[in-house]
Amino acid sequence: MKLSASCISILAVSLSLARCDDFQQHVLQDKDTPIVKSVAIIGGGAAGTSTAFWLSNVFPHKGSVQVTSTIFERNSYLGGRSTVVPIKGDYSLGTIELGASIFVEANKNLMMATEKFGLNKTRLTALEQEISVKNRPGLGVWNGKEFLFEESGSYWDSMKALWRYGLTPLKFQRKQKEVVKRFMELYDADHGFEHVSEVVKSLEYQSLLNMTAETYLKELGINDRFAQEILQTATRGNYCQDLDSLHALAVMVSMEAGHGTWAVESGNYNIFEEFARRSQAAIQLQTKVIGINNITEVDTNGDTVKRYIVETLDGTSQVFDEVVLAAPIKFSGIHQFPFPTKQEERPYHAVYVTLIAGHPDPSYFGKTMENMPTFVVSTGAPLENGESVIKIFSPTELKDDYLDKLFLDRSWTYRKGWHAFPQLEPIAKDQSFPSFILKTDENDESGIIYTGAFENFISTMETQTIAGKNAARLLYDKWCNSKSGFNKNCQEFGDGWGSYGLTK
């Protein structure tokens, strides 16, 4: 969703120059003039917009240290993987999330953002109301041939689950709560993390990441029936990956949705538009960055100052003090970096989203419309003519002949394929994670901050805002240490929310 000019306060950006020999000498400001730092943020998704937001709160625009941010986004909208499409191409019928659909109570940043920004959120109760009125089953676990478990919404659900899975769900839940409790420690970190391995070690997550979810669950004593029918259903819904191919942390994160889910009524992208708007960053939509290069300038004291030239596809170049890459290196479209990046690339998983407006055929599942489970796939609220809007995730594109078997009729079909998240494979003990700071070598004091490093740890909207906050914290630690010369001008980082940007 493209932000209108009235929604964003655009700041003047740094020099826009086309040739290196045009760059001017960097002039130091006198002691009474605010210290200004410029940051290029490449990517306008959850990580990029939140980076700009955290920076603006820690470095107020009227403070003694000021930061101007410019967000480069190659699409025509902000939000990244959080975007909606109008049903049947008609906004009067409503919209449906094409990518990131939900967040959970444990997602402190997203929950706080909706509260502070005054965004209306919903628990997605429309379907629950429909179920209660029509007395239809809720969740149906389908194995391709039959329903293994159906949820009726009554007391007997607990009895059926106990009979089928025993006490395994309780055993898993206790462990899952323990893992999530440790994760919450990240919100109270008092410094930025340069390496994902630091995060893993601080949270004691090594065993979760060093083995497949399947192996880990066996070690916990989780029975195969519960693992395959419930836990793998969750990982397929979240990451389109099975228990034998992804690391154990992914299944723990996937099952957090069982404690309640939320969404912003008009689209989760609103959170990230608000992050950007309140940051007062300059927004450059439909602007593809193709190159990042170092430049060394000499200030009036004769000291060298390292900065970056950011080149875009339209042939323009701008100079920045720092760069935050808030997009996967592999798909960033950037061909020129000041250092090798191949070793930091990771394979991403292809996911196909298919949206259908139509009437599902319950006979495919051996059911009638009266007793057809609602949650075999994620279904939106019915349209006026009785149609339902169905959202299906799949590892390959769903062809018409297959969809014709699932639906009595279809009035609208929308397909989208993208590399939504990394392949969350176990990390071998001797394998390194990508670094949050990309640089020539460990002795280099400067480098590009890379929020995508966190994606191989786990990939959600929330964790990308955590990566964005970490990016802001790394810059704060760099600028506000005792060696910087202006640390006395820096305010406390605190929780990073500050005044949470502009008032509405």
Side-chain angles (χ1 to χ4, degrees), residues 361-372:
D361 185 355
S363 65
Y364 179 87
F365 300 95
K367 295 286 186 178
T368 64
M369 190 58 73
E370 287 71 30
N371 62 11
M372 177 68 186

Side-chain angles (χ1 to χ4, degrees), residues 24-28 296-305:
Q24 300 298 312
Q25 187 178 51
H26 186 63
V27 180
L28 288 181
T296 300
E297 299 180 330
V298 179
D299 63 30
T300 52
N301 291 332
D303 297 323
T304 58
V305 179

Side-chain angles (χ1 to χ4, degrees), residues 29-96:
Q29 297 153 309
D30 63 49
K31 63 181 181 179
D32 297 323
T33 303
I35 299 165
V36 179
K37 292 288 187 178
S38 58
V39 180
I41 301 172
I42 303 169
T49 57
S50 63
T51 297
F53 175 78
W54 303 127
L55 284 172
S56 68
N57 276 323
V58 176
F59 299 103
H61 291 278
K62 293 183 179 180
S64 57
V65 180
Q66 301 173 5
V67 176
T68 63
S69 298
T70 300
I71 299 176
F72 295 90
E73 172 53 56
R74 63 182 177 185
N75 292 311
S76 60
Y77 62 89
L78 294 175
R81 288 166 289 184
S82 180
T83 182
V84 300
V85 295
I87 296 172
K88 296 187 176 184
D90 184 351
Y91 282 98
S92 69
L93 296 176
T95 60
I96 185 170

Side-chain angles (χ1 to χ4, degrees), residues 111-395:
M111 293 293 287
M112 179 73 81
T114 57
E115 176 187 341
K116 298 294 188 183
F117 301 162
L119 300 174
N120 294 326
K121 61 181 185 293
T122 175
R123 274 191 178 274
L124 308 177
T125 57
L127 283 174
E128 296 172 5
Q129 294 170 355
E130 178 194 352
I131 292 166
S132 64
V133 171
K134 297 186 177 182
N135 199 30
R136 288 175 55 188
L139 172 68
V141 179
W142 172 257
N143 70 352
K145 296 181 180 179
E146 61 180 333
F147 283 105
L148 303 174
F149 178 82
E150 293 181 52
E151 191 179 62
S152 65
S154 71
Y155 165 79
W156 290 106
D157 287 341
S158 298
M159 298 302 294
K160 286 189 294 183
L162 182 63
W163 172 81
R164 188 166 186 83
Y165 305 120
L167 297 177
T168 291
L170 295 177
K171 182 187 296 185
F172 175 82
Q173 188 178 58
R174 283 195 296 270
K175 189 63 178 180
Q176 196 260 351
K177 283 184 176 180
E178 176 190 316
V179 170
V180 171
K181 183 179 180 180
R182 293 208 303 272
F183 184 87
M184 304 305 284
E185 297 173 10
L186 270 182
Y187 294 97
D188 300 321
D190 60 358
H191 65 282
F193 294 97
E194 292 193 20
H195 301 281
V196 180
S197 56
E198 295 177 56
V199 179
V200 175
K201 184 177 180 180
S202 69
L203 300 180
E204 300 180 0
Y205 277 179
Q206 293 93 331
S207 60
L208 286 166
L209 293 163
N210 291 153
M211 65 179 76
T212 66
E214 181 180 57
T215 300
Y216 184 80
L217 293 170
K218 286 183 182 296
E219 289 192 1
L220 285 182
I222 304 300
N223 67 49
D224 290 343
R225 175 177 283 183
F226 181 72
Q228 293 295 316
E229 295 179 8
I230 301 299
L231 303 182
Q232 184 158 275
T233 299
T235 62
R236 283 182 169 184
N238 279 275
Y239 296 114
C240 276
Q241 296 174 58
D242 291 339
L243 297 176
D244 62 357
S245 63
L246 45 62
H247 57 60
L249 179 60
V251 71
M252 298 299 186
V253 170
S254 296
M255 288 303 291
E256 186 62 23
H259 302 300
T261 59
W262 293 92
V264 176
E265 282 186 355
S266 54
N268 293 325
Y269 71 89
N270 284 279
I271 297 174
F272 310 117
E273 286 194 350
E274 283 295 312
F275 273 146
R277 185 180 78 87
R278 291 167 185 269
S279 75
Q280 299 187 60
I283 312 295
Q284 296 194 16
L285 299 177
Q286 295 181 295
T287 305
K288 184 176 180 179
V289 174
I290 61 172
I292 304 172
N293 291 285
N294 285 329
I295 181 174
T296 300
E297 299 180 330
V298 179
D299 63 30
T300 52
N301 291 332
D303 297 323
T304 58
V305 179
K306 291 186 177 180
R307 306 181 81 198
Y308 296 93
I309 305 170
V310 174
E311 182 183 356
T312 54
L313 187 60
D314 61 7
T316 62
S317 299
Q318 299 177 46
V319 181
F320 296 90
D321 293 301
E322 303 288 347
V323 172
V324 175
L325 178 57
I329 292 177
K330 189 177 181 67
F331 304 108
S332 66
I334 300 175
H335 307 298
Q336 180 66 47
F337 285 95
F339 36 70
T341 59
K342 192 69 176 177
Q343 72 276 10
E344 306 293 353
E345 293 184 9
R346 294 294 185 272
Y348 269 63
H349 192 76
V351 176
Y352 292 84
V353 180
T354 308
L355 307 176
I356 306 104
H359 297 89
D361 185 355
S363 65
Y364 179 87
F365 300 95
K367 295 286 186 178
T368 64
M369 190 58 73
E370 287 71 30
N371 62 11
M372 177 68 186
T374 308
F375 291 105
V376 178
V377 290
S378 300
T379 307
L383 300 176
E384 291 184 359
N385 63 357
E387 287 183 322
S388 293
V389 178
I390 311 295
K391 181 178 181 180
I392 304 174
F393 292 102
S394 60

Side-chain angles (χ1 to χ4, degrees), residues 190-193 472-482 493:
D190 60 358
H191 65 282
F193 294 97
R473 186 70 197 232
L474 287 170
L475 290 176
Y476 175 90
D477 292 346
K478 178 179 179 179
W479 295 333
C480 297
N481 61 44
S482 58
F493 193 94

